[in-house]
Amino acid sequence: MPELARDRAESPFESRHTLRLILKFAVPSVVAFLVQALYNIVDQIFIGQIVGFLGNAATNVAFPLTTLAIAGAVLIGDGTAAVMSLKMGAGNSREAGSTFGTGLIASIVLSLAYAAFAYFYLENLLLVFGATENVMPYAIDYTLIIVLGLPASMVTCILNSSIRVDGHPNYAMTTMLIGTAVNIVLDAWFMIGFRWGVQGAAWATVIGQVVALILNAVYIPRFKEFKVERRDFRVHWKLLRQIMLLGISSFITQIAIAIVQIVMNNQIGRYGAQSIYGTDIPLAVLGIVMKANMILISVILGLAVGSQPIWGYNYGAQNYRSVKRIYAVTAALASCVAVAGWILFQVNPDAVISWFGQEDELYNQFARRCFQIYLFGVFAAGLQITSSIFFQAIGKPGRSILLSLSRQLLFLVPLLIVLPIYYGIDGLLYSGPIADIAAAVLAIILITFEMVHLTKMQHAEPPAGQPPAGQTSAA
């Protein structure tokens, strides 16, 4: 017991300064998520400026492929991080090391299998993802190369998450920053200097991902909060089940995003052709809008995922008072970010549109409408996303899955199918804010019940030999 008390007292996941503790982990996590988003967005900016909107449409068509890769990566990566945090909070550092080894091996196997599948069935996949005759040549040129980097990107996810759990978020952030810097420099070199077009953008992305993988991998022998031994580098099936159970929420979130992208692209093909904008303009614009929104969502996700090991550790240590306080501060920060993004999208969408190249007035007109209508409900995203990650962190995957499903599958996909029947392509745009607000209402209901439950647990009499709930044994 004294040893456990000392470990917890020295833990990086406990502090009386809640905001400082959250920012310590959240800022590097935000940067890491922004970097992940920028891998695709930087490509799209260069492609939009140099190739034009057909190139941007190609990256939009290819985007579900990378989203599905991210789904597999976070299934293992987020699940591993969640299990490791709970093990460490309970004072079981030995199983934390075994969890890391299990997650790493599983991630390598999954990433290689997915990349092989995508490579051999690429053209069929792009057709399912909504590629038009004009867009398909650009999409194939871009995506054939992107597929080669998928294993590096997917394995980096678990390494980066594990480094944050080890209490070194700054290192995790730095590796992602370096990878992105390499991507940006090579984008300019390959596309402007060598004139490789969309293929240059793809090679820049892949090389940046490989650099990030190498930098994350060299950290493995340096873990401090737990030790990784040679025997850990195999699949422990019991731990893999726990990993997948706690990672399933993030997985479903990404799968849902991919489904939305596929449904949206195919609905654009149908209803865009009936509008004055045609098919290719909406296909390019919706891709830009979603990726611009990814910047906002990445900040919110970074705040929530950065807080994840803190929630998990304190919940495992029965510090329920701290769990509630840290959730409240994280949710408030995430909501402030969401409102700030909403103001930008509503007041000055042209500032964002201009990043991706200037086109004719018809294109710009649809882009403005897209930002102001489709993203009208993003002010509610902070609470909804934070609550979903929170339930995952405290080992309640059912509620986390429900929140992950709600916005994308329960609300958005049916709206994308039904509303255009009555309102044409405008129906696609109005589906976004309705789904955002409905999902936020569900999050408020679930989190209210959970806070009441945590309060009851906080005041419950602890088992014999344990400190009162809400305090550590070090206290």
Side-chain angles (χ1 to χ4, degrees):
M1 191 59 140
E3 181 180 356
L4 179 57
R6 182 169 61 256
D7 288 344
R8 286 181 174 169
E10 295 171 355
S11 170
F13 304 114
E14 290 184 299
S15 173
R16 294 183 182 275
H17 305 285
T18 302
L19 182 59
R20 186 183 305 170
L21 177 64
I22 292 172
L23 292 179
K24 175 185 175 182
F25 285 87
V27 170
S29 180
V30 167
V31 173
F33 272 92
L34 281 173
V35 166
Q36 192 70 31
L38 286 173
Y39 272 120
N40 288 296
I41 293 171
V42 168
D43 284 355
Q44 191 143 14
I45 290 173
F46 274 96
I47 289 170
Q49 298 287 347
I50 296 171
V51 178
F53 76 88
L54 285 177
N56 273 335
T59 63
N60 184 29
V61 168
F63 197 51
L65 188 75
T66 57
T67 303
L68 291 171
I70 294 172
V74 298
L75 171 66
I76 306 300
D78 286 7
T80 299
V83 175
M84 287 168 63
S85 297
L86 290 170
K87 299 293 185 186
M88 291 162 59
N92 194 344
S93 60
R94 177 82 289 279
E95 282 205 9
S98 298
T99 301
F100 169 78
T102 297
L104 181 61
I105 297 301
S107 178
I108 292 171
V109 172
L110 178 62
S111 65
L112 291 174
Y114 179 71
F117 172 79
Y119 184 85
F120 288 110
Y121 294 96
L122 183 61
E123 188 167 348
N124 290 333
L125 288 170
L126 292 175
L127 286 172
V128 172
F129 297 161
T132 65
E133 182 180 352
N134 293 332
V135 171
M136 181 63 83
Y138 295 95
I140 291 177
D141 285 348
Y142 180 77
T143 315
L144 268 176
I145 298 167
I146 289 294
V147 165
L148 301 178
L150 291 179
S153 176
M154 294 174 71
V155 175
T156 297
C157 178
I158 181 176
L159 293 173
N160 209 259
S161 297
S162 299
I163 292 169
R164 289 198 302 270
V165 170
D166 192 48
H168 290 82
N170 288 330
Y171 184 91
M173 173 185 69
T174 301
T175 62
M176 301 302 288
L177 280 174
I178 292 173
T180 300
V182 170
N183 183 20
I184 293 172
V185 171
L186 293 182
D187 263 326
W189 190 12
F190 292 163
M191 296 190 70
I192 299 174
F194 291 173
R195 299 185 182 277
W196 286 356
V198 294
Q199 292 178 322
W203 278 118
T205 297
V206 169
I207 294 172
Q209 290 168 339
V210 171
V211 169
L213 171 64
I214 294 171
L215 293 174
N216 278 275
V218 299
Y219 185 90
I220 293 176
R222 300 165 55 187
F223 283 114
K224 300 293 191 303
E225 294 295 317
F226 58 93
K227 296 298 182 184
V228 183
E229 301 177 2
R230 181 174 298 180
R231 62 178 176 172
D232 293 325
F233 292 104
R234 63 183 180 87
V235 175
H236 299 75
W237 295 106
K238 180 179 179 181
L239 291 174
L240 182 60
R241 181 179 178 276
Q242 295 176 25
I243 287 169
M244 297 183 72
L245 184 64
L246 293 186
I248 194 69
S249 172
S250 297
F251 173 78
I252 290 174
T253 298
Q254 293 297 324
I255 290 293
I257 291 171
I259 291 172
V260 168
Q261 291 167 347
I262 294 168
V263 172
M264 177 73 84
N265 288 350
N266 282 279
Q267 289 290 80
I268 287 171
R270 179 178 180 182
Y271 292 100
Q274 301 173 13
S275 72
I276 61 172
Y277 305 109
T279 299
D280 292 332
I281 285 178
L283 191 61
V285 167
L286 261 300
I288 288 171
V289 168
M290 288 184 177
K291 289 184 179 179
N293 190 42
M294 274 181 59
I295 298 177
L296 178 65
I297 299 302
S298 294
V299 177
I300 296 170
L301 273 172
L303 288 168
V305 172
S307 298
Q308 183 185 52
I310 310 174
W311 291 328
Y313 179 91
N314 282 279
Y315 191 85
Q318 300 182 11
N319 300 331
Y320 303 123
R321 188 191 309 274
S322 295
V323 172
K324 292 192 300 178
R325 184 175 66 248
I326 294 165
Y327 168 81
V329 175
T330 304
L333 290 172
S335 296
C336 288
V337 171
V339 171
W342 178 83
I343 292 172
L344 173 62
F345 296 149
Q346 296 302 309
V347 174
N348 193 14
D350 287 347
V352 182
I353 295 168
S354 63
W355 299 347
F356 300 91
Q358 298 294 327
E359 301 290 345
D360 60 35
E361 182 52 34
L362 193 63
Y363 173 96
N364 293 332
Q365 175 188 332
F366 185 76
R368 291 187 201 101
R369 286 176 54 78
C370 217
F371 271 98
Q372 293 177 331
I373 298 176
Y374 187 76
L375 298 182
F376 184 78
V378 295
F379 65 87
L383 182 62
Q384 193 267 339
I385 292 172
T386 301
S387 299
S388 177
I389 301 296
F390 173 75
F391 283 118
Q392 175 180 305
I394 64 172
K396 297 190 175 181
R399 296 183 184 185
S400 182
I401 291 169
L402 176 58
L403 285 181
S404 299
L405 283 173
S406 64
R407 194 267 177 186
Q408 307 288 5
L409 296 187
L410 298 184
F411 300 127
L412 185 55
V413 168
L415 289 167
L416 288 173
I417 294 171
V418 173
L419 290 185
I421 297 174
Y422 302 99
Y423 303 104
I425 199 165
D426 283 350
L428 296 177
L429 305 185
Y430 286 113
S431 63
I434 297 173
D436 284 330
I437 295 170
V441 170
L442 177 61
I444 291 171
I445 294 171
L446 291 180
I447 204 66
T448 299
F449 280 106
E450 185 60 33
M451 291 298 113
V452 171
H453 178 63
L454 287 175
T455 299
K456 291 179 180 178
M457 293 174 67
Q458 175 186 329
H459 296 298
E461 184 177 350
Q466 291 190 16
Q471 299 179 18
T472 66
S473 51

